[in-house]
Amino acid sequence: MPKLDTDIRYLAGVGEARAKTLRKLGIETVGDLLSYFPRTYEDRKLSPSISSLIVGENAAVVAMVASTPTLSRIRKGLSLVKFRAVDQSGALEITFFNRPYAKEQFHRGESYVFYGKVEGTLLRRQMNNPVVEKEGAAQLTGSIVPVYPLTAGVTQTLLIKLMRQGLAAASELPEELPDDIRQKHNLCYVNYAYENIHFPPSPEELAIARRRLVFEELFFLTAGLRLWRSQRARIAVTPCEAIDLASFYDALPFTLTGAQRRAIADGVSDMCAGTPMSRLCQGDVGSGKTMVAAALTYFAAKNGLQTAFMAPTEVLAEQHYKGLAPLMEQLGLRTALLTGSTGTKARRELLSQLAAGEIDLLLGTHALISEDVTYQKLGLVVTDEQHRFGVRQRAALSEKGVHPHMLVMSATPIPRTLALILYGDLDVSLIDELPPGRQKIDTFFLHTGYHERIYSFLRKQVAEGRQAYVVCPMVEENEEIEDERKSVMEYARFLQEEIFPDLRIGYVHGRMKAKEKAAAMADFAGGVTHILVSTTVIEVGVDVPNATVMLVENAERFGLSQLHQLRGRVGRGKHKSYCILLSDNRNPETRERLKVMTETADGFRIAEEDLRLRGPGDFFGQRQHGLPAMRAADLSCDMPLLQEAQTAAEELLRQDPGLLLHPAMREKVTRLFAASAETLN
Ligand code: ADP
Ligand code: MG
């Protein structure tokens, strides 16, 4: 009797080679297989008759082969096999392209199920290359059929067959949800859920199955995050002493906003509390989160603690270094930068200073968590633009100190309900106020017929001494990486040669070496280049106050929150700024989505809108690293269910904080997080 952890090779039809391709989909065991959920479904239930088939729609129908198949070779490399299939109501012409063996496969008088798109006319219905199965032995037709995400060497048919085997083999799935919770929330049994998520007899049953699986996933996720947090909350650290921040405030060229001060006060009170701080500082682009980190860095240093400040890219790390080092120096603190580009000698020197406690603030990228980096007394860890880091990476960094305080900063406005799930392990400070004097960025949503006018507008801005970003068509996940490079470089070349021969055009894309990227950014920041063509690598954090135009090509390819981030790259100085979104997409929903950008500048409203229009998948995606992979929830889930799962988890943890009364569940969530830790290595 196989169990969920039984190797996938146990199933008939899976040998070494297949096992290897299945591994690419993350499927190694029977359990992995069953948790490989369909992307969508096709209704392949049988239509009552051929005459009921609607031209233009997909349908499955039983019909009898009524003519001997003919094979014709139209030209080199193209063959056709044709025959007629009938039932009592009418006829259906079947054609197979380039499948000459079909001629031998079908015989007059045999009945089959044919599934495909109905073409032709009402009088002459046709199907090309249909899915065909013997009547009575149908696995792929006659029901609602799952459609799985695929990889090379794995077909729908294979997955469907394996799935049926897997479900039959693992007939008794362990029920991991506590029974009272299952009942209280009207959730079906686990067996039913797995059966019906893969092979739902009806949409209603699919909904019941999905409800349970989504609930379960979010429930365990929330419980895991809360457990982690409560464990951290039990750790004792030496409380910081309340230090007066007046000299920090005096050193700033501006007055902090009320929201900034509140966030700083939250952090100070955490650090004085005697347990490690785990705080998320969330604020819209340009709300001044860096200063909150700077204040707490100062506070930590005055308490004899070092700070590590980790940014997701070298560009950002460098920018923070340039911005913060002078301020820190003025306050008597020593700052250093450590990235993958730091030379061996400089690095060695830096590390010895760090170990000796001669550096108060170390800025950098992932390099900060490399093994050979040791701190004398790491007390505060700041991660910027958190959605690029995961729980585990933060944990890796915090292991460098003895339970340092953690401050996480994110500019992605996450709707409150989701934030509680995604950041369930953190306390939240919200910076809901922008520094005074920020100008509204005028946003336009136009079609590509405006290109000429836009180019002359760019020229005018540059003539006035300003600069512009042009964000290029993003590359779809499955398109080749080459394309990303090509589209950015080609567009840059086009602009340089055809449109702006007299201006200097630069470009950056994600595949450039860190040094090249930094050089391109420095050229733009220093005004050497006028226009920067880029992919979304500039999405987060980049700060060039002289840039006043953000032009986004193919804007429909971006989520609203992403566009909001891009727009946040301009309007950072004293000059009037503009954001131009270009799209020829005619889909009304897409147009509605893009129009939101022209109507509001409020990041939270934009995020809510994104959530409403696109579902929570994007938000889960942003935090994919270090969190258990979301399988059911990003398929589709609604907000009420999300809240229900979360409330249930919180309630349970309130009654049983360490999950000591629920050992199976404790083990389950621990395993969930352990598994996601492995994927980081
Ligand atoms: P973000 O929250 O997007 O990280 P930053 O910390 O980069 O924002 O701040 C954006 C800009 O605003 C920076 O140039 C910073 O110096 C400036 N700034 C921050 N706080 C204030 C303030 N209270 N008043 C005026 N300018 C500020
Ligand atoms: Mg920032």
Side-chain angles (χ1 to χ4, degrees):
M1 190 64 202
K3 296 213 204 57
L4 288 181
D5 56 6
T6 302
D7 196 290
I8 191 74
R9 275 167 294 196
Y10 169 91
L11 298 181
V14 185
E16 280 304 323
R18 277 238 164 105
K20 213 169 145 201
T21 27
L22 286 169
R23 203 170 304 141
K24 280 196 226 142
L25 299 176
I27 302 174
E28 296 187 23
T29 64
V30 173
D32 296 337
L33 176 72
L34 298 185
S35 304
Y36 195 72
F37 298 134
R39 176 166 59 79
T40 178
Y41 301 82
E42 274 181 9
D43 187 351
R44 297 186 181 178
K45 287 202 293 288
L46 295 184
S47 304
S49 65
I50 290 176
S51 64
S52 70
L53 300 184
I54 298 168
V55 175
E57 291 188 357
N58 287 325
V61 71
V62 177
M64 189 183 78
V65 179
S67 70
T68 305
T70 58
L71 170 66
S72 46
R73 299 198 184 267
I74 300 204
R75 55 185 145 80
K76 213 170 147 206
L78 181 61
S79 73
L80 297 182
V81 172
K82 276 181 180 284
F83 59 86
R84 201 157 47 88
V86 300
D87 68 3
Q88 68 288 353
S89 75
L92 185 63
E93 261 177 52
I94 305 287
T95 307
F96 290 100
F97 293 95
N98 284 341
R99 277 159 65 179
Y101 52 86
K103 180 174 161 47
E104 314 304 328
Q105 190 186 345
F106 297 94
H107 305 282
R108 277 170 73 165
E110 289 173 346
S111 281
Y112 292 91
V113 183
F114 297 93
Y115 171 81
K117 187 169 179 198
V118 182
E119 303 192 70
T121 64
L122 276 182
L123 296 175
R124 201 157 165 269
R125 291 185 176 83
Q126 301 172 318
M127 243 185 223
N128 298 329
N129 289 338
V131 175
V132 188
E133 288 187 296
K134 258 267 158 57
E135 199 197 353
Q139 287 208 40
L140 306 176
T141 58
S143 52
I144 296 177
V145 174
V147 179
Y148 297 100
L150 298 178
T151 185
V154 179
T155 62
Q156 295 295 350
T157 315
L158 173 70
L159 280 173
I160 288 173
K161 288 186 173 158
L162 291 179
M163 215 56 90
R164 287 205 198 271
Q165 263 197 74
L167 284 169
S171 56
E172 288 280 316
L173 298 171
E175 180 56 78
E176 286 169 321
L177 273 180
D179 211 49
D180 50 334
I181 294 205
R182 197 185 52 71
Q183 287 180 17
K184 185 171 166 201
H185 296 275
N186 292 321
L187 302 166
C188 66
Y189 281 110
V190 62
N191 270 66
Y192 181 94
Y194 277 92
E195 274 295 329
N196 288 280
I197 196 79
H198 292 292
F199 302 109
S202 69
E204 291 72 29
E205 278 154 294
L206 173 60
I208 292 171
R210 182 179 274 167
R211 178 180 152 78
R212 178 203 149 111
L213 292 169
V214 171
F215 182 99
E216 173 182 333
E217 189 164 80
L218 297 170
F219 176 77
F220 288 132
L221 175 67
T222 313
L225 289 171
R226 290 299 148 106
L227 188 65
W228 206 59
R229 172 169 160 168
S230 68
Q231 282 166 351
R232 241 180 105 68
R234 280 199 301 274
I235 297 166
V237 296
T238 315
C240 286
E241 287 193 24
I243 307 261
D244 189 6
L245 291 176
S247 40
F248 174 81
Y249 293 138
D250 288 345
L252 296 178
F254 41 68
T255 316
L256 292 180
T257 63
Q260 281 172 315
R261 282 170 186 270
R262 279 193 295 279
I264 294 168
D266 288 343
V268 164
S269 116
D270 288 349
M271 290 166 74
C272 294
T275 56
M277 164 168 80
S278 297
R279 182 164 293 277
L280 171 71
C281 176
Q282 216 192 358
D284 215 339
V285 274
S287 61
K289 294 181 290 294
T290 318
M291 281 306 137
V292 175
L296 295 180
T297 300
Y298 175 77
F299 183 76
K302 289 288 155 192
N303 272 281
L305 301 172
Q306 290 172 303
T307 297
F309 190 138
M310 187 157 67
T313 63
E314 288 197 14
V315 169
L316 281 181
E318 223 151 278
Q319 186 180 289
H320 278 317
Y321 179 72
K322 284 199 193 106
L324 289 178
L327 173 65
M328 292 298 156
E329 198 167 309
Q330 196 184 331
L331 290 162
L333 307 189
R334 294 147 302 177
T335 310
L337 175 69
L338 177 66
T339 68
S341 308
T342 308
T344 324
K345 188 153 162 277
R347 183 185 159 94
R348 199 176 318 128
E349 200 166 307
L350 192 154
L351 291 185
S352 81
Q353 287 176 337
L354 189 67
E358 289 158 15
I359 291 171
D360 300 298
L361 170 61
L362 182 64
L363 290 136
T365 53
H366 291 75
L368 299 191
I369 52 175
S370 349
E371 219 162 290
D372 60 338
V373 180
T374 47
Y375 298 77
Q376 190 210 34
K377 201 164 183 210
L378 178 61
L380 173 63
V381 170
V382 180
T383 55
D384 193 11
E385 307 302 351
Q386 193 275 336
H387 58 276
R388 302 257 169 127
F389 289 115
V391 176
R392 287 287 152 179
Q393 262 163 315
R394 292 206 312 269
L397 184 48
S398 75
E399 275 150 24
K400 297 271 175 201
V402 185
H403 305 300
H405 300 287
M406 285 199 289
L407 178 70
V408 168
M409 300 196 295
S410 174
T412 311
I414 304 247
R416 222 189 115 64
T417 34
L418 270 186
L420 287 170
I421 289 232
L422 295 177
Y423 300 113
D425 55 330
L426 304 170
D427 298 310
V428 180
S429 295
L430 207 58
I431 308 197
D432 50 4
E433 182 183 354
L434 291 180
R438 288 285 157 81
Q439 292 190 42
K440 186 175 163 292
I441 300 166
D442 282 346
T443 302
F444 304 92
F445 170 29
L446 303 170
H447 59 78
T448 51
Y450 280 85
H451 259 139
E452 289 306 314
R453 261 179 280 179
I454 293 167
Y455 291 148
S456 58
F457 177 67
L458 291 189
R459 178 178 293 285
K460 217 169 111 229
Q461 287 286 312
V462 172
E464 283 171 23
R466 305 286 82 76
Q467 291 164 282
Y469 295 100
V470 177
V471 172
C472 234
M474 194 178 58
V475 176
E476 307 258 88
E477 255 173 72
N478 50 4
E479 284 173 39
E480 284 299 312
I481 293 156
E482 284 294 324
D483 288 358
E484 171 189 71
R485 202 174 329 191
K486 223 168 80 188
S487 62
V488 166
M489 288 168 60
E490 253 166 34
Y491 197 32
R493 187 170 338 116
F494 166 75
L495 289 180
Q496 181 72 79
E497 287 170 10
E498 312 282 326
I499 311 288
F500 303 116
D502 50 329
L503 303 184
R504 286 181 301 271
I505 314 288
Y507 64 85
V508 276
H509 57 71
R511 299 283 145 184
M512 276 158 84
K513 290 210 186 75
K515 270 216 169 73
E516 298 168 345
K517 231 187 285 178
M521 288 312 302
D523 280 351
F524 189 64
V528 177
T529 44
H530 302 111
I531 296 176
L532 184 67
V533 183
S534 167
T535 55
T536 48
V537 287
I538 55 151
E539 181 188 331
V540 280
V542 169
D543 189 26
V544 179
N546 192 45
T548 53
V549 186
M550 167 61 64
L551 169 62
V552 183
E553 299 274 351
N554 292 76
E556 75 279 356
R557 294 211 183 184
F558 300 88
L560 286 183
S561 296
Q562 225 178 348
L563 289 174
H564 183 64
Q565 285 292 324
L566 288 171
R567 179 166 62 184
R569 296 312 108 216
V570 296
R572 301 176 81 85
K574 50 186 183 296
H575 310 288
K576 175 81 190 157
S577 295
Y578 308 86
C579 173
I580 306 169
L581 307 174
L582 277 180
S583 175
D584 288 337
N585 194 294
R586 305 231 61 86
N587 181 328
E589 262 171 46
T590 309
R591 304 190 68 81
E592 185 200 343
R593 193 157 57 83
L594 291 175
K595 237 179 90 225
V596 172
M597 292 298 297
T598 63
E599 289 162 1
T600 182
D602 176 348
F604 283 91
R605 215 205 110 198
I606 286 171
E608 294 281 358
E609 221 36 58
D610 233 5
L611 182 64
R612 191 174 68 77
L613 294 166
R614 308 213 320 172
D618 284 2
F619 294 98
F620 288 129
Q622 282 165 356
R623 236 205 143 180
Q624 59 203 197
H625 296 296
L627 270 192
M630 301 298 272
R631 290 187 147 134
D634 58 5
L635 264 185
S636 115
C637 79
D638 49 53
M639 295 308 293
L641 182 58
L642 218 118
Q643 260 159 322
E644 196 180 327
Q646 183 190 328
T647 314
E650 276 167 6
E651 218 166 85
L652 182 72
L653 276 158
R654 211 171 307 125
Q655 292 158 8
D656 180 12
L659 288 180
L660 299 176
L661 303 174
H662 297 81
M665 198 178 138
R666 189 188 162 89
E667 205 228 322
K668 159 98 183 171
V669 297
T670 313
R671 201 168 30 161
L672 260 182
F673 280 84
S676 58
E678 273 165 33
T679 62
L680 281 178
N681 302 326

mmCIF file of all heavy atoms in Angstrom, residues 254-257 260 283-291 385 435-436 438 543 572, ligand 1:
data_model
loop_
_atom_site.group_PDB
_atom_site.id
_atom_site.type_symbol
_atom_site.label_atom_id
_atom_site.label_comp_id
_atom_site.label_asym_id
_atom_site.label_seq_id
_atom_site.Cartn_x
_atom_site.Cartn_y
_atom_site.Cartn_z
ATOM 1 N N PHE A 254 15.701 67.860 7.025
ATOM 2 C CA PHE A 254 14.259 68.120 7.006
ATOM 3 C C PHE A 254 13.632 67.622 8.301
ATOM 4 O O PHE A 254 14.288 66.957 9.103
ATOM 5 C CB PHE A 254 13.589 67.444 5.809
ATOM 6 C CG PHE A 254 14.117 66.052 5.531
ATOM 7 C CD1 PHE A 254 13.873 65.014 6.413
ATOM 8 C CD2 PHE A 254 14.872 65.800 4.385
ATOM 9 C CE1 PHE A 254 14.355 63.747 6.165
ATOM 10 C CE2 PHE A 254 15.364 64.521 4.132
ATOM 11 C CZ PHE A 254 15.107 63.495 5.023
ATOM 12 N N THR A 255 12.379 67.978 8.507
ATOM 13 C CA THR A 255 11.652 67.495 9.673
ATOM 14 C C THR A 255 10.948 66.203 9.313
ATOM 15 O O THR A 255 10.326 66.114 8.258
ATOM 16 C CB THR A 255 10.586 68.525 10.106
ATOM 17 O OG1 THR A 255 11.184 69.809 10.060
ATOM 18 C CG2 THR A 255 10.074 68.228 11.496
ATOM 19 N N LEU A 256 11.026 65.216 10.169
ATOM 20 C CA LEU A 256 10.354 63.946 9.877
ATOM 21 C C LEU A 256 8.843 64.121 9.955
ATOM 22 O O LEU A 256 8.342 64.951 10.707
ATOM 23 C CB LEU A 256 10.809 62.870 10.857
ATOM 24 C CG LEU A 256 12.259 62.435 10.715
ATOM 25 C CD1 LEU A 256 12.589 61.349 11.741
ATOM 26 C CD2 LEU A 256 12.558 61.930 9.309
ATOM 27 N N THR A 257 8.154 63.316 9.177
ATOM 28 C CA THR A 257 6.694 63.369 9.240
ATOM 29 C C THR A 257 6.219 62.660 10.504
ATOM 30 O O THR A 257 6.962 61.888 11.123
ATOM 31 C CB THR A 257 6.058 62.660 8.027
ATOM 32 O OG1 THR A 257 6.416 61.276 8.069
ATOM 33 C CG2 THR A 257 6.520 63.271 6.719
ATOM 34 N N GLN A 260 6.561 58.934 10.183
ATOM 35 C CA GLN A 260 7.940 58.468 10.362
ATOM 36 C C GLN A 260 8.290 58.404 11.851
ATOM 37 O O GLN A 260 8.863 57.429 12.326
ATOM 38 C CB GLN A 260 8.918 59.408 9.644
ATOM 39 C CG GLN A 260 8.997 59.181 8.136
ATOM 40 C CD GLN A 260 9.817 60.254 7.441
ATOM 41 O OE1 GLN A 260 9.663 61.450 7.710
ATOM 42 N NE2 GLN A 260 10.693 59.835 6.534
ATOM 43 N N GLY A 283 5.264 51.412 3.831
ATOM 44 C CA GLY A 283 4.913 52.770 3.434
ATOM 45 C C GLY A 283 5.079 52.922 1.952
ATOM 46 O O GLY A 283 5.925 52.280 1.340
ATOM 47 N N ASP A 284 4.272 53.772 1.398
ATOM 48 C CA ASP A 284 4.263 53.969 -0.033
ATOM 49 C C ASP A 284 5.631 54.447 -0.518
ATOM 50 O O ASP A 284 6.437 54.935 0.276
ATOM 51 C CB ASP A 284 3.199 55.019 -0.363
ATOM 52 C CG ASP A 284 2.518 54.710 -1.675
ATOM 53 O OD1 ASP A 284 3.112 53.963 -2.484
ATOM 54 O OD2 ASP A 284 1.404 55.201 -1.883
ATOM 55 N N VAL A 285 5.857 54.310 -1.813
ATOM 56 C CA VAL A 285 7.108 54.810 -2.377
ATOM 57 C C VAL A 285 7.293 56.268 -2.012
ATOM 58 O O VAL A 285 6.358 57.059 -2.113
ATOM 59 C CB VAL A 285 7.150 54.690 -3.921
ATOM 60 C CG1 VAL A 285 7.637 53.341 -4.322
ATOM 61 C CG2 VAL A 285 5.797 54.985 -4.526
ATOM 62 N N GLY A 286 8.491 56.597 -1.571
ATOM 63 C CA GLY A 286 8.792 57.982 -1.261
ATOM 64 C C GLY A 286 8.309 58.456 0.088
ATOM 65 O O GLY A 286 8.419 59.625 0.420
ATOM 66 N N SER A 287 7.798 57.535 0.898
ATOM 67 C CA SER A 287 7.281 57.966 2.199
ATOM 68 C C SER A 287 8.407 58.139 3.219
ATOM 69 O O SER A 287 8.167 58.592 4.323
ATOM 70 C CB SER A 287 6.234 56.973 2.708
ATOM 71 O OG SER A 287 6.800 55.696 2.867
ATOM 72 N N GLY A 288 9.612 57.756 2.844
ATOM 73 C CA GLY A 288 10.754 58.011 3.713
ATOM 74 C C GLY A 288 11.057 56.906 4.707
ATOM 75 O O GLY A 288 11.417 57.154 5.862
ATOM 76 N N LYS A 289 10.967 55.676 4.235
ATOM 77 C CA LYS A 289 11.237 54.537 5.125
ATOM 78 C C LYS A 289 12.706 54.458 5.532
ATOM 79 O O LYS A 289 13.035 54.049 6.644
ATOM 80 C CB LYS A 289 10.830 53.224 4.427
ATOM 81 C CG LYS A 289 9.338 53.132 4.198
ATOM 82 C CD LYS A 289 8.957 51.839 3.528
ATOM 83 C CE LYS A 289 9.416 51.746 2.086
ATOM 84 N NZ LYS A 289 8.749 52.720 1.196
ATOM 85 N N THR A 290 13.577 54.888 4.605
ATOM 86 C CA THR A 290 15.002 54.784 4.893
ATOM 87 C C THR A 290 15.368 55.527 6.178
ATOM 88 O O THR A 290 16.233 55.092 6.934
ATOM 89 C CB THR A 290 15.822 55.345 3.710
ATOM 90 O OG1 THR A 290 15.213 54.897 2.510
ATOM 91 C CG2 THR A 290 17.249 54.858 3.765
ATOM 92 N N MET A 291 14.687 56.646 6.408
ATOM 93 C CA MET A 291 15.004 57.440 7.594
ATOM 94 C C MET A 291 14.593 56.719 8.882
ATOM 95 O O MET A 291 15.191 56.922 9.930
ATOM 96 C CB MET A 291 14.309 58.809 7.514
ATOM 97 C CG MET A 291 15.044 59.762 6.616
ATOM 98 S SD MET A 291 16.779 59.887 7.144
ATOM 99 C CE MET A 291 17.579 59.840 5.551
ATOM 100 N N GLU A 385 12.827 46.523 0.964
ATOM 101 C CA GLU A 385 12.006 45.963 -0.104
ATOM 102 C C GLU A 385 11.839 44.472 0.117
ATOM 103 O O GLU A 385 12.227 43.624 -0.662
ATOM 104 C CB GLU A 385 12.640 46.238 -1.474
ATOM 105 C CG GLU A 385 12.961 47.689 -1.719
ATOM 106 C CD GLU A 385 11.759 48.621 -1.610
ATOM 107 O OE1 GLU A 385 10.627 48.124 -1.507
ATOM 108 O OE2 GLU A 385 11.962 49.838 -1.606
ATOM 109 N N PRO A 435 6.137 62.970 2.848
ATOM 110 C CA PRO A 435 6.753 64.237 3.246
ATOM 111 C C PRO A 435 6.066 65.381 2.522
ATOM 112 O O PRO A 435 5.571 65.202 1.411
ATOM 113 C CB PRO A 435 8.204 64.091 2.762
ATOM 114 C CG PRO A 435 8.449 62.631 2.702
ATOM 115 C CD PRO A 435 7.137 62.012 2.351
ATOM 116 N N PRO A 436 6.011 66.549 3.157
ATOM 117 C CA PRO A 436 5.263 67.667 2.571
ATOM 118 C C PRO A 436 5.890 68.125 1.257
ATOM 119 O O PRO A 436 7.072 67.917 1.006
ATOM 120 C CB PRO A 436 5.365 68.754 3.637
ATOM 121 C CG PRO A 436 6.537 68.374 4.480
ATOM 122 C CD PRO A 436 6.622 66.890 4.431
ATOM 123 N N ARG A 438 5.324 67.186 -1.832
ATOM 124 C CA ARG A 438 5.420 66.285 -2.983
ATOM 125 C C ARG A 438 4.398 66.688 -4.032
ATOM 126 O O ARG A 438 3.255 66.980 -3.713
ATOM 127 C CB ARG A 438 5.148 64.838 -2.560
ATOM 128 C CG ARG A 438 6.241 64.211 -1.758
ATOM 129 C CD ARG A 438 7.432 63.824 -2.616
ATOM 130 N NE ARG A 438 8.636 63.747 -1.815
ATOM 131 C CZ ARG A 438 8.965 62.705 -1.071
ATOM 132 N NH1 ARG A 438 8.190 61.665 -1.066
ATOM 133 N NH2 ARG A 438 10.064 62.705 -0.374
ATOM 134 N N ASP A 543 16.489 55.925 -7.043
ATOM 135 C CA ASP A 543 16.212 57.313 -6.703
ATOM 136 C C ASP A 543 17.071 58.263 -7.535
ATOM 137 O O ASP A 543 18.229 58.479 -7.231
ATOM 138 C CB ASP A 543 16.487 57.504 -5.195
ATOM 139 C CG ASP A 543 16.012 58.853 -4.694
ATOM 140 O OD1 ASP A 543 15.090 59.423 -5.301
ATOM 141 O OD2 ASP A 543 16.577 59.335 -3.698
ATOM 142 N N ARG A 572 10.438 62.636 -7.680
ATOM 143 C CA ARG A 572 11.243 62.538 -6.473
ATOM 144 C C ARG A 572 12.051 63.803 -6.231
ATOM 145 O O ARG A 572 12.773 63.891 -5.244
ATOM 146 C CB ARG A 572 12.165 61.317 -6.548
ATOM 147 C CG ARG A 572 11.384 60.011 -6.726
ATOM 148 C CD ARG A 572 12.301 58.830 -6.890
ATOM 149 N NE ARG A 572 12.820 58.338 -5.622
ATOM 150 C CZ ARG A 572 12.190 57.483 -4.842
ATOM 151 N NH1 ARG A 572 11.026 57.005 -5.193
ATOM 152 N NH2 ARG A 572 12.728 57.089 -3.718
HETATM 153 P P1 ADP B 1 11.025 55.140 0.458
HETATM 154 O O1 ADP B 1 10.008 55.058 1.532
HETATM 155 O O2 ADP B 1 10.432 54.978 -0.894
HETATM 156 O O3 ADP B 1 12.197 54.221 0.701
HETATM 157 P P2 ADP B 1 13.007 57.134 0.808
HETATM 158 O O4 ADP B 1 13.388 56.745 2.168
HETATM 159 O O5 ADP B 1 13.913 56.744 -0.308
HETATM 160 O O6 ADP B 1 11.554 56.622 0.481
HETATM 161 O O7 ADP B 1 12.753 58.686 0.781
HETATM 162 C C1 ADP B 1 12.429 59.361 -0.411
HETATM 163 C C2 ADP B 1 13.043 60.735 -0.436
HETATM 164 O O8 ADP B 1 12.408 61.566 0.516
HETATM 165 C C3 ADP B 1 14.502 60.733 -0.074
HETATM 166 O O9 ADP B 1 15.176 61.605 -0.954
HETATM 167 C C4 ADP B 1 14.528 61.250 1.355
HETATM 168 O O10 ADP B 1 15.717 61.923 1.663
HETATM 169 C C5 ADP B 1 13.346 62.180 1.382
HETATM 170 N N1 ADP B 1 12.697 62.326 2.684
HETATM 171 C C6 ADP B 1 12.507 61.351 3.601
HETATM 172 N N2 ADP B 1 11.834 61.824 4.678
HETATM 173 C C7 ADP B 1 11.571 63.127 4.419
HETATM 174 C C8 ADP B 1 10.896 64.152 5.128
HETATM 175 N N3 ADP B 1 10.352 63.943 6.336
HETATM 176 N N4 ADP B 1 10.819 65.366 4.552
HETATM 177 C C9 ADP B 1 11.356 65.586 3.335
HETATM 178 N N5 ADP B 1 12.001 64.671 2.613
HETATM 179 C C10 ADP B 1 12.118 63.443 3.143
#
